[in-house]
Amino acid sequence: MSVGVAALRAMEHGRPDRLFEDPYARRFLEASGGTDKWAAEPPPGGRGFLELMAGQVAVRTRFLDRALLDAAGDGCGQVVLLASGMDARPYRLGWPAGTRLFELDFPEVLRFKRDALSGGGAVPRCAHVEVAADLREDWPGSLRAAGFDPAIPTAWLAEGLLYGLPAEAADLLLADVTRLSAPGSALAADHAEDSPILRAARAAVSAELLGLWRGGPADPDAWLRGRGWAPVVRDIGEVSAEYGRPVPPAFDPALDGTGRGRLITALLR
């Protein structure tokens, strides 16, 4: 899935009216073999995966970029990218001086990114620490061992992650994040409901992608408040309008069989 997101970010970067810049997405895509898999024929009478998800990924990337930079500027000296995938934020965003960013994912994912970016002049724009870890195991221990300090306010990113977790796993993840968070910490995330048109588009790509959606928290607002966070949950259509973009078709209520897409920020007091 993370390579599919790279394909969508590369598409957005190529637009003259792009919502963000990501010159590194193309490198990840080329290193993985290109867009053929993700550009699969759409299901009969439906839309393809790239068409459905392009608007959602563009808007959420812009939104989450801003949320993380605002948090870092407001005193969060640490940033943690959970299950970072093909995220190039260490390289493409202008982080405040002194920001320490921890990028957490499987060792093979981190190695792939390192290889894809080598020799091309990519330089992190912050203190960048790779943390090889599995969210199903003791990732907090790995994060601490890499130099993470729970006493420092932290900006956490959970992008494209929550809906890929069963509700119980999402609860455990949030419990760990909360235990590691000093007052003043921030969380930025997205959440999305599955729908018939999304399932059909994913099935046209692969059976593995079809099984991606696991549900996550049923009510993100109540879920975060229950752990002491103060969330703001916004509909992706509203944010899209602010950016001058139409509602992403995967979450357009005017279309039959769509779900709801949400963008989330939260503060720990």
Side-chain angles (χ1 to χ4, degrees), residues 35-97:
T35 62
D36 289 349
K37 172 183 176 181
W38 303 99
E41 285 294 321
R47 302 184 184 212
F49 178 80
L50 294 182
E51 180 185 0
L52 278 179
M53 297 301 293
Q56 187 252 11
V57 167
V59 169
R60 87 175 186 196
T61 300
R62 165 73 172 271
F63 179 90
L64 297 175
D65 281 358
R66 189 70 264 158
L68 290 175
L69 289 174
D70 286 348
D74 289 341
C76 288
Q78 298 176 139
V79 178
V80 179
L81 310 181
L82 295 166
S84 62
M86 299 298 108
D87 195 328
R89 287 184 175 95
Y91 303 89
R92 65 178 184 81
L93 294 185
W95 298 101

Side-chain angles (χ1 to χ4, degrees), residues 77-85 87 89-91 95 98-107 109-111 113-114 123-133 139-149 154-156:
Q78 298 176 139
V79 178
V80 179
L81 310 181
L82 295 166
S84 62
D87 195 328
R89 287 184 175 95
Y91 303 89
W95 298 101
T99 301
R100 188 170 174 82
L101 186 149
F102 298 86
E103 181 177 7
L104 192 152
D105 213 317
F106 296 116
V109 173
L110 298 175
R111 185 169 53 251
K113 292 175 68 173
R114 199 181 313 122
V123 178
R125 303 175 69 182
C126 56
H128 177 219
V129 183
E130 294 182 353
V131 183
W139 66 267
S142 298
L143 189 59
R144 286 173 179 266
F148 175 85
D149 185 351
T154 301
W156 300 87

Side-chain angles (χ1 to χ4, degrees), residues 1-268:
M1 178 63 181
S2 61
V3 175
V5 173
L8 293 165
R9 285 186 173 143
M11 289 169 55
E12 180 67 20
H13 180 76
R15 290 179 57 144
D17 62 342
R18 57 182 175 245
L19 295 181
F20 59 87
E21 294 187 356
D22 189 348
Y24 306 103
R26 177 63 58 185
R27 295 199 207 177
F28 298 144
L29 191 59
E30 291 172 351
S32 71
T35 62
D36 289 349
K37 172 183 176 181
W38 303 99
E41 285 294 321
R47 302 184 184 212
F49 178 80
L50 294 182
E51 180 185 0
L52 278 179
M53 297 301 293
Q56 187 252 11
V57 167
V59 169
R60 87 175 186 196
T61 300
R62 165 73 172 271
F63 179 90
L64 297 175
D65 281 358
R66 189 70 264 158
L68 290 175
L69 289 174
D70 286 348
D74 289 341
C76 288
Q78 298 176 139
V79 178
V80 179
L81 310 181
L82 295 166
S84 62
M86 299 298 108
D87 195 328
R89 287 184 175 95
Y91 303 89
R92 65 178 184 81
L93 294 185
W95 298 101
T99 301
R100 188 170 174 82
L101 186 149
F102 298 86
E103 181 177 7
L104 192 152
D105 213 317
F106 296 116
E108 59 270 22
V109 173
L110 298 175
R111 185 169 53 251
F112 172 86
K113 292 175 68 173
R114 199 181 313 122
D115 292 345
L117 294 175
S118 66
V123 178
R125 303 175 69 182
C126 56
H128 177 219
V129 183
E130 294 182 353
V131 183
D134 186 331
L135 291 181
R136 297 166 295 185
E137 299 176 357
D138 181 24
W139 66 267
S142 298
L143 189 59
R144 286 173 179 266
F148 175 85
D149 185 351
I152 297 175
T154 301
W156 300 87
L157 177 66
E159 182 179 22
L161 177 59
L162 297 182
Y163 51 79
L165 299 174
E168 299 81 3
D171 290 344
L172 290 173
L173 178 69
L174 183 60
D176 285 335
V177 166
T178 304
R179 277 194 294 269
L180 291 169
S181 295
S185 292
L187 174 68
D190 69 307
H191 196 36
E193 297 172 358
D194 203 1
S195 64
I197 62 172
L198 268 176
R199 284 193 292 274
R202 298 200 312 275
V205 175
S206 72
E208 178 185 8
L209 193 61
L210 178 60
L212 174 66
W213 257 256
R214 305 292 298 280
D219 182 345
D221 186 271
W223 178 69
L224 286 160
R225 291 185 187 281
R227 287 285 180 183
W229 295 81
V232 175
V233 180
R234 303 196 60 196
D235 186 90
I236 196 169
E238 297 174 359
V239 178
S240 298
E242 291 177 4
Y243 295 163
R245 294 289 179 89
V247 179
F251 307 105
D252 187 346
L255 301 177
D256 292 334
T258 58
R260 185 182 177 195
R262 286 163 281 193
L263 297 170
I264 304 162
T265 55
L267 293 176
L268 188 66

